[in-house]
């Protein structure tokens, strides 16, 4: 679920590249209290500026999913300034696995998510990732490259978790953008709890991952960069672009 105000008037596939202004971009998983607070503060500022929430205590916006073991947020920094954030949630259908049985999309679109999971027929329990809470701080509202930076990191986590598909509950006016990224419209619109807008359920199947990475080069990463990103899972601060 995204509050990103996506404006890409001169955007063409394959031409989105890191720019000089992104030198020094770093990322870190929200494993410690300070990074979690950074993620929640960016969310609050972003949603409040769009009129999608009322002011929250302490200027932080979080929900019950942030406390679940199947959810993790990543924060992107420009220098020392928290600039953008995204959260991933994993629905793992392995029998007997506790704490991985619910994601926001499965509560909002239960029938559609169940049908998508049932369509995974590789012989192993299905595993579905949802990207949500994709936000930029209002100070960077016109920096659309940060959208792709977030998906660059989501793409890495998608591979690391060996998920079968990527879901996103997308604001209706963002649906065409996600279709360009090869997401398929599944269902909606329906209200996303906790915020003042409706969303469509969109899905990027596993066979579409590589096509998206090829068409949007900023989302992909070379082996050296991916090796650097491995430190994310251990709480390390990593460079978003290896050439920085």
């Amino acid at each position: 679920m995204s509050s990103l105000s996506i404006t890409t008037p001169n955007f063409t596939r394959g031409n989105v590249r890191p720019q000089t202004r992104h030198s020094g971009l770093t990322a870190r998983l929200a494993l410690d209290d300070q990074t979690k607070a950074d993620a929640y503060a960016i969310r609050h500022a972003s949603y409040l500026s769009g009129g999608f929430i009322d002011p929250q205590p302490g200027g932080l916006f979080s929900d019950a999913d942030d406390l679940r073991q199947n959810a993790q947020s990543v924060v992107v920094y420009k220098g020392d300034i928290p600039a953008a954030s995204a959260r991933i949630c994993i629905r793992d259908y392995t029998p007997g696995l506790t704490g991985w049985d619910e994601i926001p999309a499965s509560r909002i679109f239960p029938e559609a998510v169940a049908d998508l999971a049932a369509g995974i027929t590789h012989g192993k329990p299905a595993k579905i990732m949802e990207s949500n809470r994709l936000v930029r701080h209002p100070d960077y509202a016109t920096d659309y490259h940060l959208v792709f930076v977030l998906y660059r990191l989501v793409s890495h986590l998608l591979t690391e978790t060996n998920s079968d598909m990527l879901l996103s509950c997308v604001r209706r006016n963002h649906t065409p953008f996600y279709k360009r990224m090869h997401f398929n419209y599944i269902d909606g619109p329906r209200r996303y709890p906790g915020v003042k807008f409706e969303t469509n359920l969109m899905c990027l199947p596993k066979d579409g991952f590589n096509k998206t990475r090829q068409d949007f080069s900023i989302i992909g990463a070379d082996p050296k960069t991916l090796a650097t990103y491995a430190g994310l899972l251990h709480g390390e601060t990593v460079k978003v672009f290896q050439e920085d």
Side-chain angles (χ1 to χ4, degrees):
M1 184 268 302
S2 171
S3 76
L4 296 170
S5 179
I6 301 171
T7 306
T8 57
N10 300 313
F11 171 75
T12 56
R13 293 176 184 171
N15 290 331
V16 181
R17 296 286 193 273
Q19 296 183 349
T20 302
R21 60 180 174 162
H22 288 114
S23 180
L25 278 183
T26 60
R28 184 165 66 245
L29 282 184
L31 301 178
D32 60 278
D33 290 343
Q34 182 57 61
T35 310
K36 290 177 182 178
D38 289 343
Y40 305 158
I42 297 169
R43 283 186 207 166
H44 184 272
S46 177
Y47 289 129
L48 187 64
S49 70
F52 303 131
I53 61 170
D54 296 321
Q56 304 292 305
L60 304 177
F61 180 48
S62 63
D63 58 34
D65 285 294
D66 289 308
L67 302 177
R68 295 177 62 90
Q69 61 180 311
N70 65 337
Q72 188 60 262
S73 293
V74 62
V75 180
V76 176
Y77 295 86
K78 283 193 168 190
D80 295 327
I81 301 173
S85 180
R87 184 175 69 188
I88 63 164
C89 300
I90 305 291
R91 172 67 166 99
D92 192 326
Y93 288 80
T94 301
L97 186 63
T98 59
W100 297 76
D101 57 346
E102 185 178 291
I103 56 178
S106 67
R107 295 193 299 268
I108 304 166
F109 301 95
E111 303 88 355
V113 173
D115 288 345
L116 288 169
I120 298 172
T121 58
H122 50 47
K124 299 182 294 183
K127 184 183 287 187
I128 296 175
M129 175 188 285
E130 178 187 350
S131 62
N132 51 60
R133 303 304 194 211
L134 274 81
V135 289
R136 291 170 294 186
H137 191 279
D139 289 349
Y140 304 108
T142 61
D143 189 347
Y144 72 85
H145 281 83
L146 282 175
V147 180
F148 296 99
V149 166
L150 290 172
Y151 266 102
R152 181 182 180 91
L153 296 163
V154 168
S155 175
H156 171 68
L157 294 171
L158 186 73
T159 300
E160 288 294 318
T161 60
N162 196 29
S163 296
D164 295 300
M165 63 179 63
L166 177 63
L167 303 182
S168 190
C169 294
V170 178
R171 280 172 56 197
R172 287 186 289 176
N173 59 310
H174 294 165
T175 299
F177 172 80
Y178 278 80
K179 286 183 176 179
R180 293 173 71 184
M181 290 178 65
H182 307 300
F183 280 75
N184 299 320
Y185 167 85
I186 303 298
D187 199 0
R190 294 185 185 179
R191 185 69 175 268
Y192 200 107
V195 291
K196 301 176 183 180
F197 54 76
E198 294 181 328
T199 60
N200 290 327
L201 179 64
M202 307 285 288
C203 173
L204 180 64
K206 194 165 190 174
D207 59 9
F209 295 170
N210 287 336
K211 185 169 179 57
T212 298
R213 289 165 177 153
Q214 290 168 2
D215 284 355
F216 304 91
S217 58
I218 194 173
I219 293 176
D222 57 41
K224 185 177 181 181
T225 300
L226 292 177
T228 301
Y229 281 9
L232 271 175
L233 303 179
H234 304 290
E236 297 176 12
T237 300
V238 302
K239 294 180 179 180
V240 171
F241 299 113
Q242 188 61 33
E243 61 268 27
D244 283 352

